[in-house]
Amino acid sequence: MTMNSTRCPRCHNELDEGPIMYRCGTCRRAVFAADLENEFVPHEPVAA
């Protein structure tokens, strides 16, 4: 499984820190993890 990098909703650059609050080094925005859409969706179906 690969984990997607978390992106800033304003400028779309990678966010630092985390996992509760992230910071964008480019636009200096602070973003809470709850405000990001980073739900894990597997590429292949998972057997029940």
Side-chain angles (χ1 to χ4, degrees):
M1 285 186 257
T2 60
M3 191 164 216
N4 293 341
S5 61
T6 307
R7 299 280 177 178
C8 175
R10 182 184 292 164
C11 68
H12 305 287
N13 287 310
E14 251 184 86
L15 295 171
D16 313 4
E17 300 181 28
I20 296 170
M21 179 179 276
Y22 294 91
R23 295 193 183 279
C24 179
T26 306
C27 68
R28 304 182 62 116
R29 180 179 181 171
V31 182
F32 283 99
D35 296 331
L36 298 173
E37 290 193 30
N38 56 1
E39 181 179 344
F40 175 74
V41 179
H43 292 286
E44 296 178 19
V46 178

